[in-house]
């Protein structure tokens, strides 16, 4: 969801690499991985489901829009407080976990309140094959999951919007 996407597996950009990207356009970082989501009912884990977890920054998405029901602002829906972060999830996941918007789930060591149903993502087709329903969280919330560890299979995608007269082929 940009003019150019830089993809790294297992690691994020080093500070000098990120500075290089920032100098060439507007950058949005999207981190994706597979994880287990557990429904929380009265603080006890219930049903579980493998999910495609995507952590997005405040610049996401550059083009198009995420469709939520109810029609909340994505970044408001993903906001965190001291104990809980927001998440949006596909209806399939909510059905399988017997959750409704407002319900709680655990992903890794993080607790998330489902704030809306995820109807569509503008970059969904570029994500490739999915093994489970999609869940979006904020980039700050990703650290609360404890899932970013050595050996985790994590994809770091840096979407760039280049200046108006820039040539994507020259960038590559």
């Amino acid at each position: 969801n940009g003019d150019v996407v830089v993809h790294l597996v297992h690691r994020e950009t080093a500070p000098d690499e990120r500075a290089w990207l920032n100098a060439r356009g507007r950058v949005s970082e999207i981190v994706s991985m597979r994880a287990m989501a557990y429904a929380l009912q009265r603080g006890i884990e219930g049903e579980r489901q493998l999910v495609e977890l995507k952590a997005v920054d405040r610049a996401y998405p550059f083009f198009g829009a995420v469709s939520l029901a109810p029609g909340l602002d994505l970044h408001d829906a993903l906001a965190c407080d001291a104990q809980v972060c927001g998440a949006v999830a596909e209806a399939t996941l909510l059905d399988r976990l017997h959750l409704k918007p407002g319900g709680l789930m655990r992903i890794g060591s993080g607790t998330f309140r489902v704030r809306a149903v995820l109807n569509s993502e503008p970059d969904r087709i570029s994500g490739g094959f999915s093994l489970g329903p999609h869940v979006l969280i904020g980039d700050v919330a990703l650290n609360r999951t404890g899932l970013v560890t050595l050996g985790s299979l994590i994809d770091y995608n840096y979407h760039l919007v280049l200046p108006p007269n820039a040539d994507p082929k020259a960038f590559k």
Side-chain angles (χ1 to χ4, degrees):
N1 189 331
D3 296 321
V4 175
V5 176
V6 175
H7 177 82
L8 297 174
V9 179
H10 299 299
R11 73 171 187 91
E12 59 189 316
T13 57
D16 61 325
E17 293 169 325
R18 182 60 189 254
W20 188 87
L21 293 174
N22 289 341
R24 279 150 184 81
R26 293 184 332 186
V27 181
S28 176
E29 180 179 352
I30 300 163
V31 181
S32 57
M33 64 189 312
R34 291 180 182 95
M36 291 300 292
Y38 298 84
L40 295 176
Q41 306 289 342
R42 294 175 294 286
I44 299 170
E45 286 182 7
E47 300 291 326
R48 66 181 179 193
Q49 170 69 48
L50 180 68
V51 297
E52 297 286 343
L53 183 65
K54 181 159 69 172
V56 300
D57 64 11
R58 297 228 23 114
Y60 175 85
F62 281 139
F63 304 109
V66 173
S67 173
L68 303 176
L72 302 173
D73 173 77
L74 174 65
H75 299 291
D76 290 344
L78 303 182
C80 295
D81 62 27
Q83 289 82 31
V84 176
C85 289
V88 298
E90 290 183 307
T92 305
L93 176 66
L94 300 183
D95 291 344
R96 289 178 185 165
L97 297 183
H98 308 291
L99 287 175
K100 296 187 181 331
L104 293 173
M105 65 180 168
R106 184 177 64 76
I107 300 173
S109 56
T111 301
F112 294 86
R113 183 166 310 281
V114 178
R115 297 221 170 96
V117 175
L118 174 62
N119 291 327
S120 67
E121 307 158 69
D123 57 342
R124 174 73 183 253
I125 197 163
S126 67
F129 180 72
S130 293
L131 291 177
H134 283 215
V135 175
L136 269 63
I137 63 174
D139 55 350
V140 172
L142 182 61
N143 292 330
R144 293 191 186 187
T145 67
L147 296 173
V148 180
T149 62
L150 185 62
S152 295
L153 180 57
I154 304 174
D155 292 315
Y156 293 88
N157 291 289
Y158 300 89
H159 296 234
L160 281 85
V161 174
L162 301 174
N165 295 326
D167 178 10
K169 289 182 181 180
F171 174 90
K172 291 176 185 180

